[in-house]
Amino acid sequence: MIEIMNPTQLLRAKDTGALVADILQTLQQRSTVGTNLLDIDRWAHTMIVEAGALSCYVDYAPSFGRGPFGHYICTSVNDAVLHGRPHDYPLADGDLLSLDLAVSLGGVVADSAISFVVGEARPAESLAMIDATERALRAGIAAAGPGARIGDISHAIGTVLTAAGYPVNTEFGGHGVGTTMHQDPHVSNTGRPGRGYTLRPGLLLALEPWVMADTAKLVTDADGWTLRSATGCRTAHSEHTIAITTDGAEILTLPSHARPAA
């Protein structure tokens, strides 16, 4: 299903995106050496409830997971890259943490992910990988607009990731969002320009470049959810929800300090 949002839904999407972004920003600030992943999950739950929003994750039970996810945020550390299920783990200095959050507010969903290094250690390879996903995300957003094709976005993302030297996995990628979290169209992180669905104003897309340092192969953790690099290498993941407008693409999941003035 591909949904096109009406003007009222687009206004709600902006509110949802702002909430997601601000929760992630707060969680990044609170995530320090010794912070437990279960604490991050509890904080996310509290902020979602206080905002009058609904989690898209806690009862989520797709075919690729084992039973309901059971938590409110994905916390992926080091070799974990997607769907990281929070567990009893205190963060260590230099850990690479990815936080992925989707909520529904006013009946409209927004989805975003950030990656960052915890503590004082600054591993150069980890920072470079995070930077590559962020640059790829910006390139994908720049390629989005009315009349563009999904393949244009995929090609822009893949070009950046490949140039940075990272293998690209095509099993999981970006996707449409709307009144539910995962919708068509699928947005692969590599592709051919000029192919695929033609973008229309009112379409919401979650674009999410993610990479593993030296492999494109994933393995599933014993928890039935967490996806890890097959080689144990580090990983990174960046994601924004955007709205296609008549002028281009608007990022809905910017934190407060980065939003343009009204």
Side-chain angles (χ1 to χ4, degrees):
M1 178 178 68
I2 296 176
E3 286 187 314
I4 301 299
M5 299 289 99
N6 62 41
T8 299
Q9 289 173 314
L10 286 173
L11 289 174
R12 291 174 180 169
K14 292 182 181 183
D15 290 339
T16 313
L19 173 64
V20 168
D22 287 344
I23 290 176
L24 287 175
Q25 186 78 7
T26 299
L27 293 175
Q28 179 175 358
Q29 293 167 353
R30 292 184 181 180
S31 298
T32 59
V33 174
T35 298
N36 196 294
L37 298 184
L38 292 175
D39 289 332
I40 296 174
D41 188 54
R42 282 191 287 268
W43 295 335
H45 180 205
T46 298
M47 286 186 279
I48 291 168
V49 171
E50 288 178 347
L54 297 173
S55 168
C56 293
Y57 292 164
V58 66
D59 295 322
Y60 189 50
S63 59
F64 56 79
R66 190 173 67 205
F69 186 70
H71 293 272
Y72 296 86
I73 190 167
C74 296
T75 56
S76 302
V77 182
N78 296 333
D79 66 319
V81 65
L82 297 174
H83 314 155
R85 203 162 183 264
H87 59 284
D88 184 12
Y89 174 79
L91 292 167
D93 192 30
D95 275 348
L96 198 167
L97 175 62
S98 297
L99 300 177
D100 189 354
L101 178 68
V103 304
S104 177
L105 181 67
V108 182
V109 170
D111 190 358
S112 185
I114 56 174
S115 292
F116 54 94
V117 176
V118 175
E120 299 299 321
R122 314 304 290 168
E125 292 182 357
S126 296
L127 297 177
M129 188 160 38
I130 294 168
D131 178 69
T133 63
E134 291 175 346
R135 288 188 289 109
L137 181 55
R138 290 194 295 270
I141 294 168
R149 302 269 190 151
I150 290 295
D152 299 331
I153 298 173
S154 297
H155 177 71
I157 290 171
T159 297
V160 173
L161 298 180
T162 301
Y166 298 109
V168 179
N169 176 290
T170 57
E171 295 173 78
F172 295 90
H175 50 90
V177 295
T179 57
T180 57
M181 175 172 58
H182 284 146
Q183 299 184 358
D184 291 329
H186 173 72
V187 188
S188 175
N189 284 328
T190 188
R192 297 175 63 182
R195 301 294 184 93
Y197 180 78
T198 301
L199 308 185
R200 297 166 52 193
L203 177 69
L204 302 184
L205 294 173
L207 307 184
E208 47 183 315
W210 59 274
V211 293
M212 300 177 283
D214 61 17
T215 184
K217 184 177 179 181
L218 291 165
V219 293
T220 303
D221 192 85
D223 67 11
W225 274 98
T226 304
L227 296 178
R228 300 183 182 275
S229 62
T231 61
C233 68
R234 285 197 167 194
T235 68
H237 178 200
S238 296
E239 178 180 16
H240 273 310
T241 294
I242 65 171
I244 304 302
T245 71
T246 55
D247 299 320
E250 180 180 358
I251 305 173
L252 303 181
T253 46
L254 289 173
S256 297
H257 68 82
R259 288 177 213 143

